[in-house]
Amino acid sequence: MKVLFVSLATAFLLFGCVKKETYDTIIRNGTVYDGEGREPFVADIGINSDTIAFIGDLSGATGKREIDADSLAVAPGFINMLSWATESLILDGRSQGDIRQGVTLEVFGEGTSMGPLNDEMKAGMREQMRDYTFDIGWTTLGEYMESLEKKGVACNVASFVGATTLRIHELGMANRLPTAEELEKMKQLASQAMEEGALGIGASLIYAPASYSGTDELIGLCQAVSPYGGMYITHMRSEGNSIFEAIDETITIARQAAVPAEIYHLKMAGKDNWTKLDSVIGKIDKANGEGLRITADMYTYTAGATGLDASMPTWVQEGGLNAWIKRLKDPSIRKKVLTEMKTRSDSWENLLLMAGSPDNVLLVGFANDSLKRFTGKTLSEVARIHGKSPEETAMDLVIADSTRVGTVYFMMSEENVKRQIRLPYMSFGSDAESSAPEGVFLKSSTHPRAYGNFARLLSRYVREEKVITLQEAIRRLTKLPATNLGIRKRGLLAPGYFADVVIFDPAKIQDHATFEKPFQYATGMVYVFVNGVPVLVNGEHTGATPGRFVRGPGWKKPSPNP
């Protein structure tokens, strides 16, 4: 690792003169990775209140708190581009799983968001609560985000407004396009969310009812957020058999709505699709060369996690969970579903087939206590226990659990994971909650990405396999996503920026979570500051909850009361 030592003269030129004063915190002698992707340099950092006040030589200054970061990396806090901590943070605001990896900002909104809600949506949320239970004391997305900040969370939080949520608000779970009046109302709700601080429109198009949306509907929603500087971020209609068409749709939406677009958890799902990566990259490069801004994020594993709904056609799920279960109990409908689950199709995303075998489908989340004994078993193992086919067993499990059943699908190529990590526009997201290995969180299993996604990048793919350099990995975890999101004064170590700062040992940062034992914290992160407040000290959580609602570029600060 090449390290630049900042001389007194260089410090003066880069950061200002040597300071002789008192700071709230001084981080001394750290190897600074400022987020720009350039070579690191040794310097001191002074923090006052929630802000980075100075970077350079602070040998003449004193700090109320001083940290010797000699031989440690100092970087901006990491940004989790795809977080499902929306509920786990209500139950436990410490965000332990991600804070211990250096994540200081959780970004929500893959298709569904915690607002805007109506009374029917609130009732549906209450009905579907299983292990996680909480009061719903908000209606709009902004109110939810503010409630997290008021309650107290260790991390900062931000969110897209979900296209699925907007659709359900106006159409329920209906399998049809919105009327002009309904679409206009959805656009008004999207505009309201942007003024409250949303980042743009988030979609998740393989799931019902989002799969019922048309391209024009999505263009309309994105046109509503474009004037606010919002972006479009999407789990595309296909990550496998029809991925080329899905990429084309994403680019069309970006072009027609005049918004930047990001592809959630880019992947080539299913062995038959692994060879498509070159063509996908080519489509993205071509669009960017034409003046669009198309980016992507990913998790650092060859398996994804969702539910058994992703193994069944979306038409059977119309009307929501109860209607879906009712249909699965109908022998004639069940027979049709069984046939479609076994048949390759380009019209819906069949993750069971993409996994190649039910041996590659791991069951991790049950609500029914009588079914929790199957947690950690494959679909093929449970099918043998039941004496039925994997497809029939999947339907039976959904019926018995009254949930979609949390499921891990092994579908991706390790070589493609490495190639994607090298893409300069690739950032990273866990696609998981941020929890702790205790209490209610242990009632179901999880994907190891919930405890290891970011540490795995820095250990396996940076330190061990040298897929990218440490400074480039940090740029992709910090400045790149902050820039894409339009977030101000975060994502860099620079005077005047908020003091979201992580200090870790590059030689020791390590993920430990596995598919067999996912509830294991990463190690090697020594200090984490959020808005200038130490949340992690010597690798242990302080219990502090200084996190804030980080609002998007379209936020309109409420006028003061007259």
Side-chain angles (χ1 to χ4, degrees):
M1 177 179 68
K2 293 176 66 178
V3 177
L4 301 180
F5 289 87
V6 178
S7 68
L8 194 61
T10 304
F12 182 88
L13 290 172
L14 291 177
F15 310 111
C17 59
V18 177
K19 296 288 186 179
K20 294 184 178 180
E21 54 187 64
T22 300
Y23 293 83
D24 291 337
T25 299
I26 293 179
I27 302 169
R28 297 192 183 276
N29 306 312
T31 303
V32 176
Y33 293 80
D34 62 6
E36 294 282 6
R38 60 190 176 190
E39 293 288 341
F41 52 88
V42 174
D44 305 326
I45 297 177
I47 298 171
N48 279 328
S49 185
D50 62 356
T51 302
I52 297 171
F54 183 82
I55 303 177
D57 184 352
L58 289 173
S59 57
T62 57
K64 298 174 185 177
R65 177 192 301 108
E66 297 207 6
I67 296 170
D68 181 5
D70 184 36
S71 77
L72 299 177
V74 184
F78 302 157
I79 296 174
N80 183 351
M81 276 298 295
L82 174 47
S83 170
W84 280 107
T86 45
E87 296 183 1
S88 61
L89 286 177
I90 297 175
L91 303 180
D92 183 354
R94 293 174 298 171
S95 191
Q96 292 256 37
D98 274 355
I99 283 290
R100 290 170 181 263
Q101 298 181 75
V103 173
T104 59
L105 174 59
E106 305 279 352
V107 182
F108 312 139
E110 185 201 2
T112 59
S113 53
M114 297 298 271
L117 305 176
N118 56 33
D119 289 344
E120 185 177 353
M121 294 168 76
K122 291 181 182 182
M125 287 176 65
R126 294 187 189 99
E127 182 183 348
Q128 293 181 32
M129 287 182 187
R130 299 294 189 269
D131 292 339
Y132 293 6
T133 59
F134 49 86
D135 293 330
I136 305 172
W138 68 88
T139 297
T140 72
L141 178 58
E143 289 169 352
Y144 162 76
M145 301 297 285
E146 289 169 354
S147 75
L148 280 186
E149 183 178 307
K150 183 177 181 181
K151 169 192 169 292
V153 289
C155 52
N156 296 312
V157 291
S159 185
F160 290 85
V161 61
T164 307
T165 299
L166 298 172
R167 169 175 257 271
I168 293 173
H169 194 284
E170 295 304 307
L171 283 76
M173 301 293 288
N175 184 359
R176 63 174 177 83
L177 298 177
T179 64
E181 183 179 352
E182 288 167 338
L183 181 56
E184 184 58 33
K185 180 60 177 175
M186 291 164 65
K187 292 167 68 174
Q188 291 172 6
L189 291 170
S191 297
Q192 178 185 344
M194 293 301 293
E195 292 179 5
E196 291 179 330
L199 301 167
I201 295 292
S204 189
L205 300 176
I206 75 165
Y207 305 107
S211 57
Y212 311 147
S213 303
T215 303
D216 288 343
E217 175 183 334
L218 296 167
I219 291 171
L221 294 179
C222 289
Q223 286 173 335
V225 305
S226 180
Y228 298 95
M231 66 182 292
Y232 174 59
I233 189 165
T234 179
H235 180 156
M236 300 186 299
R237 286 189 203 274
S238 175
E239 298 173 323
N241 297 346
S242 300
I243 192 169
F244 296 151
E245 293 84 352
I247 289 277
D248 289 343
E249 181 186 43
T250 301
I251 293 170
T252 295
I253 292 168
R255 179 177 287 112
Q256 295 296 320
V259 292
E262 177 146 321
I263 300 165
Y264 273 133
H265 44 57
L266 182 67
K267 64 176 72 73
M268 311 300 116
K271 190 172 183 179
D272 290 345
N273 299 307
W274 290 354
T275 59
K276 295 179 178 179
L277 181 56
D278 282 336
S279 296
V280 167
I281 293 172
K283 284 179 176 290
I284 294 172
D285 287 346
K286 183 175 184 293
N288 286 331
E290 293 170 351
L292 299 179
R293 193 182 83 201
I294 310 295
T295 55
D297 55 65
M298 65 180 290
Y299 43 80
T300 53
Y301 298 84
T302 57
T306 179
L308 288 177
D309 53 337
S311 292
M312 301 183 202
T314 57
W315 61 262
V316 77
Q317 301 169 48
E318 181 182 358
L321 179 64
N322 292 335
W324 175 22
I325 290 173
K326 183 178 180 180
R327 291 191 187 96
L328 292 182
K329 293 179 178 179
D330 183 312
S332 61
I333 295 177
R334 186 183 177 95
K335 183 177 180 181
K336 182 179 179 183
V337 172
L338 180 64
T339 299
E340 292 194 22
M341 290 176 71
K342 292 181 175 181
T343 306
R344 176 189 162 98
S345 173
D346 294 338
S347 63
W348 63 283
E349 201 86 330
N350 187 339
L351 269 57
L352 175 57
L353 289 184
M354 288 182 179
S357 164
D359 293 328
N360 296 328
V361 178
L362 189 68
L363 303 171
V364 297
F366 293 97
N368 189 324
D369 287 340
S370 68
L371 298 176
K372 289 185 184 292
R373 61 194 174 98
F374 297 134
T375 300
K377 294 186 182 298
T378 66
L379 182 59
S380 59
E381 288 174 320
V382 178
R384 284 194 293 270
I385 293 171
H386 284 184
K388 293 185 177 181
S389 72
E391 294 80 10
E392 290 176 300
T393 300
M395 288 187 276
D396 288 344
L397 290 174
V398 169
I399 294 169
D401 202 51
S402 293
T403 74
R404 66 181 193 146
V405 181
T407 311
V408 171
Y409 296 89
F410 292 82
M411 303 178 293
M412 285 87 80
S413 152
E414 176 67 16
E415 181 56 34
N416 279 350
V417 168
K418 293 177 186 177
R419 291 187 61 199
Q420 290 178 193
I421 288 173
R422 294 188 184 101
L423 296 172
Y425 50 77
M426 182 67 68
S427 54
F428 300 90
S430 68
D431 198 4
E433 72 283 3
S434 182
S435 61
E438 59 188 53
V440 68
F441 300 122
L442 294 177
K443 289 188 174 183
S444 292
S445 190
T446 190
H447 190 298
R449 64 194 183 189
Y451 287 85
N453 187 64
F454 306 94
R456 182 177 173 86
L457 172 68
L458 299 177
S459 58
R460 177 168 183 162
Y461 295 109
V462 172
R463 184 180 66 236
E464 297 171 11
E465 301 195 15
K466 297 178 172 48
V467 176
I468 55 174
T469 64
L470 181 54
Q471 57 263 36
E472 176 62 7
I474 289 173
R475 182 187 74 85
R476 310 269 210 79
L477 291 166
T478 58
K479 181 184 178 180
L480 176 65
T483 301
N484 291 341
L485 295 169
I487 291 174
R488 305 178 185 93
K489 294 188 176 181
R490 299 188 193 271
L492 287 176
L493 294 182
Y497 273 60
F498 289 105
D500 298 337
V501 183
V502 299
I503 305 173
F504 64 97
D505 188 337
K508 295 181 179 179
I509 189 81
Q510 185 66 55
D511 64 304
H512 300 284
T514 65
F515 289 98
E516 294 74 24
K517 295 182 178 180
F519 292 100
Q520 299 187 79
Y521 288 135
T523 54
M525 190 62 59
V526 186
Y527 291 89
V528 175
F529 287 80
V530 177
N531 298 310
V533 177
V535 173
L536 199 73
V537 173
N538 292 322
E540 295 299 326
H541 206 293
T542 66
T545 54
R548 297 175 183 170
F549 173 15
V550 175
R551 294 169 172 86
W555 176 55
K556 290 189 176 181
K557 188 174 183 179
S559 301
N561 293 327

